Amino acid sequence: QAPLVESGGGSVQAGGSLRLSCAASEYTYRDSCMGWFRQAPGKEREGVAALYTGGGSIYYANSVKARFTISQDNAKNTVYLQMNDLKPEDTAMYYCAADSSLVGSLCGSYFGSFQDGSITWGQGTLVTVSS
């Protein structure tokens, strides 16, 4: 089994909703900072949202607060990103990521700040929002 398997994404009009899923192996999921980065054409990859699977720490980029919600299902080793009120500027390739170095509160404070060898990446899924 691949460490991270993404699903969801697609095309939607502005104001619409999509849900991304990221299923992890048990080893990758346990006590991990899991979430999503995104990269739009011509832009740097940025952290979008993440949670610590052990509980108690969540990160949201300012640009998605109040519109995106990250959640987890421990029985399925899966993290979800519910994206509501999507905007054209949300158009990007979204990559699930699991950072083994950001434990506990470090997840909520530093997700997206480092993109190094401690991160396991998903295959990416494209989200396109039309105006």
Side-chain angles (χ1 to χ4, degrees), residues 13 19-20 29 43-44 60-61 75 87 91 94 103 107 117 124:
Q13 290 190 327
R19 189 176 82 155
L20 306 183
Y29 184 84
K43 294 189 176 181
E44 293 188 352
Y60 290 108
K87 305 176 185 300
T91 295
Y94 284 70
V103 296
C107 181

Side-chain angles (χ1 to χ4, degrees), residues 27-122:
Y27 175 81
T28 300
Y29 184 84
R30 186 183 306 129
D31 296 333
S32 178
C33 182
M34 281 189 63
W36 276 266
F37 286 80
R38 68 184 180 186
Q39 188 167 22
K43 294 189 176 181
E44 293 188 352
R45 189 161 49 188
E46 63 174 352
V48 176
L51 56 77
Y52 182 61
T53 59
S57 185
I58 289 181
Y59 167 87
Y60 290 108
N62 287 333
S63 58
V64 306
K65 283 180 181 177
R67 299 189 298 122
F68 291 11
T69 302
I70 192 167
S71 61
Q72 66 189 111
D73 185 336
N74 292 334
K76 296 181 179 180
N77 295 334
T78 299
V79 176
Y80 303 96
L81 185 66
Q82 178 66 42
M83 305 185 292
N84 297 329
D85 189 24
L86 283 161
K87 305 176 185 300
E89 52 264 41
D90 294 316
T91 295
M93 185 69 79
Y94 284 70
Y95 297 92
C96 180
D99 192 327
S100 60
S101 68
L102 299 179
V103 296
S105 61
L106 294 178
C107 181
S109 297
Y110 294 106
F111 182 79
S113 297
F114 311 105
Q115 298 183 37
D116 55 22
S118 64
I119 296 177
T120 299
W121 296 97

